[in-house]
Amino acid sequence: PVPARPSQAPPVHRGAPPSAPAVATPSAPAVAKRPRIDLSTWLGRAPVWLGSAALALAGAFLVKYGWDRDWLGPVARVAIALGFGLACIGAGEFLLRRVAVVANGLVAAGIAVLYAATLAGVHHYALIPPPVGFAMLATVTAAGVGLTLRHGPWVAVLGLVGGYLTPVWIGREVPTAPVLFLYLTTLHAGLVAVGRARHRPLLPLASAAAAFLWAVAAVLGPPSAGIDLPLLGAFVLILAASTVAIGQTDPAFRDRRSGRLVSLAGPALGLLLFGALVQQTPFATAEWVLFGTLAAGCVALARVRRALEAIRWIALSATLFLTLGWSFDLVTAEVGRFGVVCAVFAAGF
């Protein structure tokens, strides 16, 4: 018998690199598609929101019908309406884990009824003093903004609209300007926080737009009303900074063209408002200081974020426009101050 030969190893070619083991390359992760809401879903929700609107109108008409029929007394009417609104909110909280859509509609209706009942107590019956009514409406707004974290965007819309209209509804007997601007700043901060927490990027933008409308109303209001310049200036600077933060940090806008537009819009609107103040005074030093503070912030922002370099040119154009307009109306007594302002801004830019 022929002895079996040992198995020979495969020949090794010198100089040739050893073959690397095959490594499985991970496949590219699939892009998660946003869930699409079909027509049947919207049609299924429509009766719920129609019913919520009917509940809100029922609470409002409860007060009015009681007025027309002379039922009970004004205190009882307002108290019943307030209780009805609180009951709707309580029912919404109870049904949240059972029927979420119905729960959201009940809470939205309850918030609307609380607004209507408080306004009836302030204006129609004169039971609630305006400062107390302002505090009550602010509390309803805070509750609505807080409930948005649990009950979705419709409650946020009610909090946004009702919150920014609260000073209008109460009228000129609202507390002083510090309280008003503190209220508006707190409301805007709360809506921005809720929008980030609920991933609703349009909510902070809508809040910033409504807050800027209040600033425009303060600037373009009648001269007899007067302007609390430091508070208004701080309010506008906060709004400009918040829009920059929204555009640069919110995942829905960050590193996108829309984010740059949002970040540029706030400082640009602030420059327009401060420029209008400078022209109204006319060209007083305090207003120039506010305008210069925001312009310096724009220059610093352009150096930190190269994508926002356009804001520096917007600030420069606004400055040239204002100084050119001042030069046309310049009087001899203002020549020295005009030269100082031009030198300071020229050095800054």
Side-chain angles (χ1 to χ4, degrees):
V2 180
R5 294 183 179 181
S7 59
Q8 297 180 356
V12 178
H13 300 282
R14 297 184 178 274
S19 59
V23 179
T25 57
S27 59
V31 179
K33 296 183 178 180
R34 299 181 65 179
R36 299 179 61 183
I37 301 178
D38 55 3
L39 183 61
S40 61
T41 303
W42 284 106
L43 291 177
R45 293 179 179 178
V48 176
W49 293 111
L50 289 175
S52 302
L55 282 174
L57 291 174
F61 285 125
L62 175 66
V63 179
K64 185 181 184 303
Y65 195 70
W67 171 271
D68 295 337
R69 296 289 182 178
D70 198 19
W71 286 353
L72 303 174
V75 177
R77 298 168 197 163
V78 175
I80 291 173
L82 290 174
F84 180 65
L86 292 174
C88 289
I89 295 176
E93 287 291 314
F94 178 75
L95 294 175
L96 180 59
R97 294 188 178 182
R98 295 171 175 82
V99 190
V101 177
V102 176
N104 299 341
L106 285 172
V107 170
I111 294 294
V113 170
L114 290 179
Y115 276 123
T118 306
L119 289 173
V122 173
H123 291 296
H124 291 289
Y125 301 123
L127 294 174
I128 305 173
V132 177
F134 180 82
M136 292 177 63
L137 290 176
T139 303
V140 174
T141 300
V145 172
L147 289 170
T148 300
L149 294 172
R150 295 168 57 82
H151 292 278
W154 289 108
V155 181
V157 171
L158 281 174
L160 172 71
V161 176
Y164 281 107
L165 286 180
T166 289
V168 178
W169 286 335
I170 294 298
R172 293 194 174 274
E173 299 182 20
V174 176
T176 56
V179 176
L180 177 61
F181 282 116
L182 178 62
Y183 166 78
L184 294 174
T185 304
T186 305
L187 175 61
H188 177 60
L191 289 170
V192 170
V194 168
R196 293 292 298 271
R198 294 285 300 181
H199 306 290
R200 303 286 180 179
L202 294 181
L203 184 61
L205 292 184
S207 176
F212 266 114
L213 286 178
W214 270 100
V216 171
V219 172
L220 301 181
S224 58
I227 297 177
D228 196 323
L229 193 61
L231 290 175
L232 177 61
F235 181 62
V236 173
L237 290 175
I238 290 172
L239 290 181
S242 69
T243 54
V244 173
I246 291 169
Q248 295 300 300
T249 62
D250 196 307
F253 302 112
R254 187 174 53 209
D255 300 327
R256 296 182 181 180
R257 186 175 182 181
S258 58
R260 290 195 295 271
L261 293 177
V262 170
S263 300
L264 294 174
L269 287 174
L271 289 171
L272 287 176
L273 288 174
F274 286 159
L277 282 175
V278 169
Q279 286 188 322
Q280 282 181 3
T281 43
F283 306 102
T285 303
E287 283 73 9
W288 272 117
V289 170
L290 282 178
F291 182 87
T293 301
L294 184 54
C298 293
V299 172
L301 179 63
R303 289 186 64 84
V304 174
R305 297 286 294 177
R306 292 295 183 182
L308 303 179
E309 193 172 359
I311 194 61
R312 176 170 54 189
W313 298 103
I314 294 175
L316 177 59
S317 302
T319 305
L320 291 175
F321 178 80
L322 287 176
T323 52
L324 186 62
W326 191 9
S327 66
F328 290 149
D329 298 331
L330 193 62
V331 296
T332 306
E334 295 179 341
V335 171
R337 191 160 59 89
F338 176 79
V340 170
V341 170
C342 291
V344 168
F345 275 96
F349 283 111

